[in-house]
Amino acid sequence: MNRKLTLRQKTGLLAAAALLFLVCYLSLCFNNNIWTDEAFTIELLHADFAGIIHGTASDVHPPLYYLIAKCFVLVFGSSLLSLKIVSIIPMLLCMTWGAAIVWKRFGFHTALAFDFLLGVIPCTMEYAVQVRMYSWAIFFITFMGLWAYEAYLERKWRYFAGVVLTSAAAAYTHYFAFVSAILIYGFLFLALALAPAAADGSGSAAASGEWAVPGERCGKRIPGARAKGLQQWLLSVCASLLLFAPWIPYMRLQVKGVSKNYWITEITGETVKEFFPFLFDMDIPGTTVIWLALVAAGIAAAVLMIVRRECREGMFALLCLLTPVLTAVTGVVASNLLRPVFIVRYLLPCMGLLAVFLAVTLCRYVPRPVYIALLVFLFCAGLVDYKQSVYREYQWTHTAETEAFLESHVGERDIIAYNYESYKFVYDYYWSDKEKMLWQGTDLDNCPYETIWLLDTIYWPTPTDAYLAEHGWQRQFMGNYGIEHNDFKIYAVTRLPETPAAD
């Protein structure tokens, strides 16, 4: 990088970075692989808007993502490719519109690093193309954080309005995004109450385009700024609660349902240790350690900002990091006090703020060669992560082989049986034209089918040869197959030669 880059060149570089990731994301979409949660989404989108709201009220998530996807389906159709593009859109918005906000406050180099960081944090690329709500939650929480900083600096109603809309949207998208939104509101309150900023917008640091931008000092206080800011904050909180109020009765019912029975297992110390590989691990040894070292370096840089009286940027960066940290703490504490309700995947909405933290801190004091080395590392990390994602999307599963096998073997008088009920959505998606049944409770003595093609998962005991023979049946192992995260053995269950078929 050099100082002589023109505004057009800088804009072109940011656009090129966003386009690069857009092409990567699109290239991961041309497959037919889905997992259980994605199958649930697709099944739910068959309903109308009222049915979607009723269906999500009976589930454990709020409805906004499904309503967004439904609008997209009505215009562009319900193909799997269309649904994956719905998830790419918010990532592209973060890398363009979001990067523009970062550029305004922290400089072009920070904005460029933000794009790369958001794109290559290992957990984001996989979920950017999934038919789920996580990329939209990233968008809402990232923009809430950025607009909260703008509201703190400028005291302008339009930024508080942005905070209101994004906080309500986050709450309607995922409940742990709701937790993150509450934390951001809390941080904004503390900032307004303890360190009111100038109300003239002088915090903008990036317009000059210089390599090193002088830090914003902690100084001058404007009479009445604190009272005005707290009033704006209180009205914003009330507006957010008013927007979310219609869903609160449904949320209470969902909380009651989860408190009685939920699939998440107990959180232990080992579980918490696994959070870090999920977020940062790549197909190269030691990458989790490298990412954690970058986080540690970012913390040191943020502290240095504060020591050098660049309080606003330093505190903002630390609060961006604290949002995922305290979201995780909230989830772990709630899981231990009530019942397990948190998994590391629920931290995905905060990954945009993690990228902001790393970009703001790592680009603050480093000389130009170190900055270029950082971008080279991120580019190489992106290549590794992309290769890993291609393998995961196109080669990791046996989806094509499984589809071909059952298409060629299941006859008109056959049925597909499965022994794990939660996978029903997946099987309905792939074999909607074939008859299916849950294996448990099957009356083998009065079964009218010639062959039962059993998809046998590890979640339920496999029927033994003795049990089948007792009822006049036998089984033949046909191979190991699977779809996305769902692996199973296929058995051909047929009658013993002397056993007549039931009418």
Side-chain angles (χ1 to χ4, degrees):
M1 299 297 164
N2 63 66
R3 301 181 184 182
K4 297 180 182 179
L5 288 175
T6 65
L7 178 63
R8 178 177 294 181
Q9 289 171 327
K10 292 174 181 178
T11 303
L13 281 173
L14 283 176
L19 181 61
L20 172 65
F21 284 104
L22 174 62
V23 171
C24 290
Y25 293 148
L26 285 174
S27 70
L28 299 174
C29 294
F30 296 94
N31 59 49
N32 195 35
N33 295 329
I34 63 170
W35 62 296
T36 314
D37 286 5
E38 291 179 293
F40 173 81
T41 299
I42 295 169
E43 179 74 17
L44 187 60
L45 292 178
H46 292 153
D48 58 15
F49 289 103
I52 288 173
I53 292 174
H54 176 75
T56 50
S58 303
D59 188 46
V60 294
H61 293 302
L64 180 58
Y65 160 73
Y66 303 105
L67 297 176
I68 293 172
K70 181 65 176 181
C71 292
F72 202 87
V73 162
L74 292 176
V75 177
F76 298 101
S78 59
S79 69
L80 185 57
L81 176 61
S82 294
L83 293 174
K84 290 190 175 188
I85 290 174
V86 175
S87 296
I88 294 175
I89 291 172
M91 299 299 294
L92 186 62
L93 289 173
C94 285
M95 293 181 176
T96 51
W97 189 10
I101 299 173
V102 174
W103 184 358
K104 170 188 174 183
R105 287 297 171 192
F106 303 103
F108 163 74
H109 303 92
T110 302
L112 185 61
F114 165 74
D115 271 0
F116 275 93
L117 284 159
L118 179 60
V120 306
I121 291 175
C123 60
T124 58
M125 189 169 290
E126 176 182 0
Y127 284 88
V129 296
Q130 290 204 355
V131 189
R132 296 298 288 163
M133 72 285 294
Y134 296 107
S135 60
W136 282 97
I138 289 173
F139 169 74
F140 294 133
I141 290 299
T142 302
F143 272 76
M144 184 185 178
L146 292 173
W147 278 332
Y149 188 56
E150 293 292 318
Y152 164 71
L153 290 176
E154 302 277 2
R155 304 292 201 275
K156 291 182 179 178
W157 282 107
R158 67 174 180 267
Y159 297 125
F160 281 96
V163 171
V164 169
L165 293 176
T166 49
S167 63
Y172 273 111
T173 302
H174 195 282
Y175 288 129
F176 275 96
F178 188 12
V179 171
S180 300
I182 293 171
L183 290 170
I184 294 171
Y185 257 131
F187 296 149
L188 180 57
F189 171 81
L190 291 176
L192 293 169
L194 300 179
D200 59 1
S202 61
S204 181
S208 66
E210 296 294 324
W211 168 254
V213 179
E216 181 69 21
R217 297 294 174 180
C218 301
K220 72 176 182 180
R221 297 173 180 268
I222 303 298
R226 175 184 295 177
K228 178 183 177 182
L230 292 176
Q231 179 188 45
Q232 291 170 312
W233 179 89
L234 181 60
L235 291 174
S236 298
V237 170
C238 292
S240 296
L241 290 174
L242 187 63
L243 288 174
F244 189 66
W247 190 252
I248 290 177
Y250 299 104
M251 184 180 72
R252 292 179 62 186
L253 291 174
Q254 290 172 326
V255 170
K256 286 182 180 179
V258 167
S259 64
K260 295 178 182 177
N261 182 36
Y262 201 40
W263 59 270
I264 294 178
T265 57
E266 180 183 0
I267 296 180
T268 64
E270 289 300 316
T271 307
V272 173
K273 288 181 183 178
E274 291 301 315
F275 287 1
F276 300 104
F278 174 89
L279 296 173
F280 301 123
D281 197 24
M282 304 174 101
D283 198 17
I284 297 177
T287 49
T288 298
V289 175
I290 293 173
W291 280 99
L292 291 177
L294 290 176
V295 172
I299 294 172
V303 172
L304 184 58
M305 287 183 195
I306 296 170
V307 170
R308 296 183 60 174
R309 294 185 59 78
E310 299 170 18
C311 299
R312 295 172 187 170
E313 291 102 329
M315 287 305 302
F316 171 68
L318 286 177
L319 294 178
C320 285
L321 177 62
L322 275 176
T323 301
V325 170
L326 293 183
T327 299
V329 169
T330 302
V332 171
V333 170
S335 296
N336 282 281
L337 292 179
L338 304 174
R339 66 166 297 110
V341 293
F342 181 77
I343 53 176
V344 64
R345 187 167 72 236
Y346 296 166
L347 285 181
L348 283 166
C350 301
M351 290 301 101
L353 290 185
L354 179 62
V356 172
F357 160 76
L358 289 171
V360 169
T361 55
L362 296 180
C363 299
R364 194 57 175 171
Y365 300 118
V366 297
R368 191 177 308 165
V370 176
Y371 176 81
I372 294 173
L374 174 65
L375 289 188
V376 171
F377 164 75
L378 294 176
F379 181 78
C380 294
L383 289 178
V384 173
D385 196 28
Y386 176 69
K387 178 183 177 182
Q388 198 170 326
S389 296
V390 169
Y391 175 78
R392 185 166 46 239
E393 293 292 339
Y394 292 102
Q395 299 169 326
W396 184 41
T397 69
H398 304 288
T399 302
E401 299 95 313
T402 304
E403 288 185 281
F405 177 88
L406 290 175
E407 185 64 33
S408 62
H409 284 78
V410 179
E412 292 184 0
R413 297 196 61 189
D414 298 349
I415 191 170
I416 296 173
Y418 53 93
N419 63 356
Y420 188 54
E421 190 171 9
S422 295
Y423 287 156
K424 179 181 185 298
F425 295 117
V426 179
Y427 304 140
D428 284 343
Y429 171 81
Y430 284 102
W431 301 292
S432 60
D433 60 333
K434 298 186 183 300
E435 193 170 357
K436 297 175 289 296
M437 69 178 183
L438 184 64
W439 174 264
Q440 289 88 310
T442 300
D443 186 0
L444 292 177
D445 295 326
N446 297 290
C447 185
Y449 303 102
E450 289 185 356
T451 303
I452 303 172
W453 298 95
L454 174 60
L455 313 183
D456 179 40
T457 72
I458 62 173
Y459 300 108
W460 194 264
T462 301
T464 63
D465 292 330
Y467 172 82
L468 293 172
E470 180 182 347
H471 295 277
W473 294 76
Q474 60 186 352
R475 66 175 182 173
Q476 180 183 359
F477 175 65
M478 306 302 293
N480 293 307
Y481 290 88
I483 298 168
E484 197 76 5
H485 301 291
N486 172 10
D487 295 323
F488 46 76
K489 299 176 180 179
I490 295 182
Y491 289 98
V493 182
T494 57
R495 287 183 177 80
L496 293 170
E498 68 276 9
T499 306
D503 295 332

